[in-house]
Amino acid sequence: MSELAILLFQVDDGKLPLPEADNRVPIVLYHPDIGAGWQEVKTLLENTGAPKVLLQFSNETISVPAHHWKDTDWRRRRHVRLYDAAEMIRSESPLDLIRLTPELPLPGLRIDERSVDSSESGKETARMLYFFSTRNWEQVETLLTKDRLNANELFALSCLYDKTNRFEEAYAASLEALAVAEEQTRIVRAASADAADDTAAIPFLDPNMSPDPQHAAAARPALHSKPLLQLVDLAKIWLAHGLHAAKCGHEQQAVTAFQMAFAKKNGTEPLYMWADELMRRGRTAEEAYTSIDKWLGVNNNEELHIRLLHRIGLFEKALEKLDRLTTPAPQLTCERFDCLIRTGRFPEAAAQLQGTEPYEFPSEKRISQLLADGCDITAAAAGLEQTQLQALQERAVTLRLFVHAETLEPLIAEPLSFAFALFRNGYVMRAATRFLQALREQRLTPEGYRCLGEILYHRGAYEQASGMLEYVLSLSPDDASLRTAAALAGLRQSEALLNESMHIFPSSVFLREEAEKVTAGIKRMEQSGAMTRWCWEERANFHA
């Protein structure tokens, strides 16, 4: 069984890419024009048995690196083009693949592409996903400029507005998506009574019969003669609405949206987003959890509570609940291991279920073996591929095993891998030390300059941050997010000058109005994602 399947979207009538001769990765084609609808695609993906799905478009040739995909998928990090198969199979529409939070680049992935003929009719959904993937916002907006968008299209529109810093428009679009989705859901339920009649009239839809191509061909016109009713993931739209509301400062609406997302599809994500928003507003992790626990009321889903406590950094409380479980919970093995490490209980973590395969990610098992054996990490890492070494280093950083992480750096080809891992996990002061050392030794990469510029920005050294970011922008003048980051540093300098001027001329209405405009611009641009946006757990590491 392959660890990976490829989902291929037909974006135009160009020639489909041919798989390599030795390719053993199953390929599933999404091509609604020939009847391969989303539900059929999900069934085919499920039949492959692959735990991960890589997105590819028909105008691309992808070089699939030969590495273990689980190694790249460390804790809750989402990578460009890589999806969890179970998540995809639960989706209601291809547009659900548009992600709400930032993604990391997928190590080792190489893509060659040709231009897409966007003048062709049809295949709008596939092209929309492609343009989202390539950040071609103008083409996305062109595809979404039409009357009577359905709920999934309105969800995509809200994501477009969010990614182009139009947060109030994103909020309004997701609100409209919810209204349309409720109406679509009502229509689908009302139409379900007719489904049995349709099935009886179409032999190949009978679950007790095998599909017959002749029956299928005869039946297809009858299927398409009826209005197409799309299924909608209301939980995802509510979650998007909550994120958009939070960026617009609509705090109560954001909380209500996260609550509705949880009510539609119980899971940790909406509760974590809610907790993260409370902590961004100054509440402690304990206070955030208490508020959510009070709202949940009597909820016997201990797994849900444990996962939430673990994600917001309340490791002792999570362990207490884990220890009180009356039956073993193998699905929580990773959380237990993580909590034991975070609370300094290394012997228990090392001894946990030795000799079995309890770990979801190979990097965790390797770390547990290192702790248990006390062996030389360099010897233990021998024979590992670069992606496996990077995953091991990243996991060591998340567990604060800094000595192990630093020891791995000479084995990793990527320059400054330890500094970047520290930066990604919020250890900005530790990362700054290593970036500054590289700067003095004249080996700092452009990405390192950008990270150092962001660290200076967050430390309030706006003039130095501006210099760093402007230098990197001169190397990549077409990088829109970098241009926004540099503009932010400039606005912060303007804000400081205006504040100084207001101390000298406190009664100046002009200065006050200008200061308000600059502050509003800063708030809006900081929500854009141009600067790294850390979660609460990572923000808590800033001064470590």
mmCIF file of all heavy atoms in Angstrom, residues 430-447:
data_model
loop_
_atom_site.group_PDB
_atom_site.id
_atom_site.type_symbol
_atom_site.label_atom_id
_atom_site.label_comp_id
_atom_site.label_asym_id
_atom_site.label_seq_id
_atom_site.Cartn_x
_atom_site.Cartn_y
_atom_site.Cartn_z
ATOM 1 N N ARG A 430 16.095 33.035 20.980
ATOM 2 C CA ARG A 430 17.113 32.016 20.689
ATOM 3 C C ARG A 430 17.487 32.061 19.203
ATOM 4 O O ARG A 430 18.657 31.949 18.838
ATOM 5 C CB ARG A 430 16.591 30.631 21.042
ATOM 6 C CG ARG A 430 16.609 30.304 22.531
ATOM 7 C CD ARG A 430 16.012 28.924 22.757
ATOM 8 N NE ARG A 430 16.105 28.504 24.148
ATOM 9 C CZ ARG A 430 17.086 27.752 24.642
ATOM 10 N NH1 ARG A 430 18.066 27.349 23.857
ATOM 11 N NH2 ARG A 430 17.104 27.407 25.919
ATOM 12 N N ALA A 431 16.459 32.186 18.338
ATOM 13 C CA ALA A 431 16.702 32.233 16.890
ATOM 14 C C ALA A 431 17.517 33.475 16.525
ATOM 15 O O ALA A 431 18.433 33.418 15.688
ATOM 16 C CB ALA A 431 15.380 32.225 16.136
ATOM 17 N N ALA A 432 17.203 34.619 17.166
ATOM 18 C CA ALA A 432 17.897 35.865 16.846
ATOM 19 C C ALA A 432 19.392 35.735 17.114
ATOM 20 O O ALA A 432 20.223 36.237 16.326
ATOM 21 C CB ALA A 432 17.319 37.008 17.673
ATOM 22 N N THR A 433 19.749 35.064 18.199
ATOM 23 C CA THR A 433 21.164 34.884 18.523
ATOM 24 C C THR A 433 21.898 34.173 17.389
ATOM 25 O O THR A 433 23.012 34.559 16.996
ATOM 26 C CB THR A 433 21.311 34.081 19.828
ATOM 27 O OG1 THR A 433 20.653 34.778 20.886
ATOM 28 C CG2 THR A 433 22.776 33.877 20.184
ATOM 29 N N ARG A 434 21.256 33.148 16.837
ATOM 30 C CA ARG A 434 21.905 32.362 15.782
ATOM 31 C C ARG A 434 21.905 33.120 14.450
ATOM 32 O O ARG A 434 22.861 33.039 13.676
ATOM 33 C CB ARG A 434 21.210 31.009 15.659
ATOM 34 C CG ARG A 434 21.182 30.242 16.987
ATOM 35 C CD ARG A 434 20.719 28.823 16.813
ATOM 36 N NE ARG A 434 21.780 28.001 16.246
ATOM 37 C CZ ARG A 434 22.772 27.459 16.947
ATOM 38 N NH1 ARG A 434 22.866 27.665 18.248
ATOM 39 N NH2 ARG A 434 23.676 26.711 16.346
ATOM 40 N N PHE A 435 20.834 33.860 14.169
ATOM 41 C CA PHE A 435 20.805 34.664 12.944
ATOM 42 C C PHE A 435 21.872 35.763 12.989
ATOM 43 O O PHE A 435 22.544 36.036 11.982
ATOM 44 C CB PHE A 435 19.420 35.287 12.742
ATOM 45 C CG PHE A 435 18.365 34.324 12.288
ATOM 46 C CD1 PHE A 435 17.111 34.307 12.883
ATOM 47 C CD2 PHE A 435 18.605 33.426 11.255
ATOM 48 C CE1 PHE A 435 16.130 33.425 12.469
ATOM 49 C CE2 PHE A 435 17.628 32.536 10.835
ATOM 50 C CZ PHE A 435 16.384 32.537 11.446
ATOM 51 N N LEU A 436 22.031 36.409 14.158
ATOM 52 C CA LEU A 436 23.028 37.467 14.290
ATOM 53 C C LEU A 436 24.446 36.914 14.149
ATOM 54 O O LEU A 436 25.320 37.549 13.555
ATOM 55 C CB LEU A 436 22.868 38.176 15.636
ATOM 56 C CG LEU A 436 21.648 39.100 15.756
ATOM 57 C CD1 LEU A 436 21.444 39.549 17.193
ATOM 58 C CD2 LEU A 436 21.787 40.309 14.831
ATOM 59 N N GLN A 437 24.663 35.719 14.678
ATOM 60 C CA GLN A 437 25.969 35.086 14.523
ATOM 61 C C GLN A 437 26.269 34.816 13.046
ATOM 62 O O GLN A 437 27.375 35.068 12.562
ATOM 63 C CB GLN A 437 26.020 33.785 15.319
ATOM 64 C CG GLN A 437 27.360 33.056 15.234
ATOM 65 C CD GLN A 437 27.351 31.745 15.999
ATOM 66 O OE1 GLN A 437 26.434 31.467 16.754
ATOM 67 N NE2 GLN A 437 28.376 30.930 15.791
ATOM 68 N N ALA A 438 25.238 34.340 12.322
ATOM 69 C CA ALA A 438 25.410 34.091 10.881
ATOM 70 C C ALA A 438 25.647 35.392 10.134
ATOM 71 O O ALA A 438 26.421 35.440 9.159
ATOM 72 C CB ALA A 438 24.173 33.381 10.336
ATOM 73 N N LEU A 439 24.993 36.478 10.584
ATOM 74 C CA LEU A 439 25.185 37.786 9.954
ATOM 75 C C LEU A 439 26.630 38.254 10.133
ATOM 76 O O LEU A 439 27.264 38.737 9.177
ATOM 77 C CB LEU A 439 24.213 38.797 10.569
ATOM 78 C CG LEU A 439 24.299 40.237 10.038
ATOM 79 C CD1 LEU A 439 23.976 40.293 8.549
ATOM 80 C CD2 LEU A 439 23.349 41.142 10.822
ATOM 81 N N ARG A 440 27.159 38.091 11.332
ATOM 82 C CA ARG A 440 28.540 38.502 11.585
ATOM 83 C C ARG A 440 29.523 37.675 10.759
ATOM 84 O O ARG A 440 30.554 38.188 10.316
ATOM 85 C CB ARG A 440 28.860 38.339 13.078
ATOM 86 C CG ARG A 440 28.220 39.391 13.965
ATOM 87 C CD ARG A 440 28.805 39.353 15.364
ATOM 88 N NE ARG A 440 28.491 38.102 16.035
ATOM 89 C CZ ARG A 440 27.427 37.914 16.790
ATOM 90 N NH1 ARG A 440 26.551 38.893 16.966
ATOM 91 N NH2 ARG A 440 27.229 36.759 17.393
ATOM 92 N N GLU A 441 29.170 36.413 10.525
ATOM 93 C CA GLU A 441 30.054 35.523 9.768
ATOM 94 C C GLU A 441 29.764 35.571 8.272
ATOM 95 O O GLU A 441 30.302 34.766 7.503
ATOM 96 C CB GLU A 441 29.905 34.094 10.291
ATOM 97 C CG GLU A 441 30.351 33.946 11.746
ATOM 98 C CD GLU A 441 30.015 32.581 12.323
ATOM 99 O OE1 GLU A 441 29.391 31.761 11.590
ATOM 100 O OE2 GLU A 441 30.353 32.327 13.485
ATOM 101 N N GLN A 442 28.845 36.486 7.858
ATOM 102 C CA GLN A 442 28.489 36.700 6.448
ATOM 103 C C GLN A 442 27.954 35.435 5.779
ATOM 104 O O GLN A 442 28.280 35.135 4.631
ATOM 105 C CB GLN A 442 29.700 37.241 5.672
ATOM 106 C CG GLN A 442 30.194 38.582 6.167
ATOM 107 C CD GLN A 442 31.310 39.151 5.317
ATOM 108 O OE1 GLN A 442 31.933 38.452 4.525
ATOM 109 N NE2 GLN A 442 31.573 40.448 5.454
ATOM 110 N N ARG A 443 27.153 34.693 6.502
ATOM 111 C CA ARG A 443 26.521 33.506 5.921
ATOM 112 C C ARG A 443 24.999 33.499 6.146
ATOM 113 O O ARG A 443 24.358 32.449 6.068
ATOM 114 C CB ARG A 443 27.142 32.232 6.501
ATOM 115 C CG ARG A 443 27.100 32.105 8.005
ATOM 116 C CD ARG A 443 27.862 30.881 8.514
ATOM 117 N NE ARG A 443 27.778 30.763 9.967
ATOM 118 C CZ ARG A 443 26.798 30.148 10.615
ATOM 119 N NH1 ARG A 443 25.812 29.590 9.934
ATOM 120 N NH2 ARG A 443 26.789 30.081 11.937
ATOM 121 N N LEU A 444 24.436 34.664 6.391
ATOM 122 C CA LEU A 444 22.990 34.773 6.591
ATOM 123 C C LEU A 444 22.282 34.771 5.246
ATOM 124 O O LEU A 444 22.614 35.548 4.349
ATOM 125 C CB LEU A 444 22.653 36.048 7.369
ATOM 126 C CG LEU A 444 21.194 36.201 7.826
ATOM 127 C CD1 LEU A 444 20.809 35.080 8.772
ATOM 128 C CD2 LEU A 444 20.971 37.554 8.486
ATOM 129 N N THR A 445 21.314 33.892 5.075
ATOM 130 C CA THR A 445 20.565 33.775 3.825
ATOM 131 C C THR A 445 19.479 34.854 3.755
ATOM 132 O O THR A 445 19.115 35.441 4.780
ATOM 133 C CB THR A 445 19.903 32.392 3.747
ATOM 134 O OG1 THR A 445 18.964 32.261 4.839
ATOM 135 C CG2 THR A 445 20.929 31.277 3.848
ATOM 136 N N PRO A 446 18.922 35.133 2.557
ATOM 137 C CA PRO A 446 17.833 36.116 2.465
ATOM 138 C C PRO A 446 16.659 35.785 3.385
ATOM 139 O O PRO A 446 16.088 36.684 4.009
ATOM 140 C CB PRO A 446 17.429 36.040 0.984
ATOM 141 C CG PRO A 446 18.686 35.638 0.285
ATOM 142 C CD PRO A 446 19.369 34.691 1.214
ATOM 143 N N GLU A 447 16.295 34.495 3.476
ATOM 144 C CA GLU A 447 15.200 34.124 4.380
ATOM 145 C C GLU A 447 15.584 34.408 5.829
ATOM 146 O O GLU A 447 14.740 34.782 6.650
ATOM 147 C CB GLU A 447 14.852 32.643 4.199
ATOM 148 C CG GLU A 447 13.614 32.195 4.941
ATOM 149 C CD GLU A 447 12.358 32.940 4.548
ATOM 150 O OE1 GLU A 447 12.243 33.358 3.373
ATOM 151 O OE2 GLU A 447 11.482 33.119 5.417
#
